[in-house]
Amino acid sequence: MKIAIGNDHAAVELKREIMEYVTELGHEAENYGTDTKESCHYPKYGEHVARAVAEGRADCGILICGTGVGISIAANKVKGIRAAVCSDATTARLVKEHNNANILAFGARIVGSELAKDMVKAYLTADFLGGRHEERIAMISEIEEAEGLK
C-alpha cells in the first residue's frame, strides 16, 4: 500500500519515525511534509496529502501536526476525504471500520511515538466493514455534493 504522510514543523521527528515504521510494516511511505522545524503552515501539507489520496496517487494518508486537528481540518476540505483525528488505537481502528476514513491524523504534542505506531498499525490493518456504515458514508458524500465541494 502507498501511504502519503504529511506534517508541519511540530511533527518532523515523529513523521520520520512513522515513515520508518510504515516501511517496516511492508508499505511504501511517501513524504509530503516538511523536514525542517522552521515554523510553517500546516494547511498546505494537509492539502497535499488529501489531494494525493483523493486523486489516487496514494491509497491512504497519515497527517501529523501539533494536535492533529488543524491539519485534518485542512485535509477535510478536499472532496472525498475523510480525515479523522485519533489519540488511541481503538479509535484509529474504528475510524477505518465504521467511517472508512482515508486519512489518519494525530498530534505530535498529544501522543508519543509508541502510541502513534500502535494507532498506525490499527488503522492500516483494519478494513471498512460496509453494511450499515455504507449508507452513512453515502450521506457524507451527499453533503459534499450539496456544498459543491471540489
Side-chain angles (χ1 to χ4, degrees):
M1 198 169 11
K2 183 184 268 190
I3 302 163
I5 303 178
N7 64 288
D8 71 357
H9 58 278
V12 173
E13 305 282 327
L14 185 54
K15 185 261 311 259
R16 288 182 184 134
E17 286 187 59
I18 294 303
M19 287 190 69
E20 184 177 313
Y21 183 65
V22 163
T23 303
E24 288 172 11
L25 291 175
H27 304 289
E28 181 181 345
E30 192 164 335
N31 185 2
Y32 283 81
T34 185
D35 291 314
T36 175
K37 292 183 181 182
E38 185 177 321
S39 184
C40 63
H41 302 298
Y42 59 79
K44 174 172 82 170
Y45 301 107
E47 180 183 10
H48 288 325
V49 167
R51 293 213 184 279
V53 172
E55 294 169 4
R57 291 181 279 125
D59 298 301
C60 64
I62 297 172
L63 289 171
I64 319 166
C65 68
T67 63
V69 175
I71 203 165
S72 70
I73 290 172
N76 279 319
K77 298 301 179 186
V78 175
K79 184 177 181 179
I81 294 303
R82 290 174 306 283
V85 181
C86 297
S87 57
D88 63 83
T90 300
T91 305
R93 175 180 53 82
L94 289 172
V95 299
K96 178 63 93 45
E97 290 179 351
H98 292 193
N99 310 112
N100 203 16
N102 47 19
I103 297 178
L104 171 67
F106 49 88
R109 295 178 179 144
I110 307 300
V111 301
S113 64
E114 293 307 310
L115 177 53
K117 290 175 187 176
D118 288 346
M119 291 188 306
V120 166
K121 185 174 185 178
Y123 173 77
L124 293 177
T125 58
D127 293 313
F128 180 52
L129 296 177
R132 71 180 193 271
H133 305 291
E134 285 185 49
E135 182 179 1
R136 296 167 186 160
I137 300 307
M139 292 171 74
I140 292 170
S141 295
E142 288 173 13
I143 294 168
E144 284 182 336
E145 293 298 326
E147 291 297 311
L149 293 176
K150 297 180 181 189

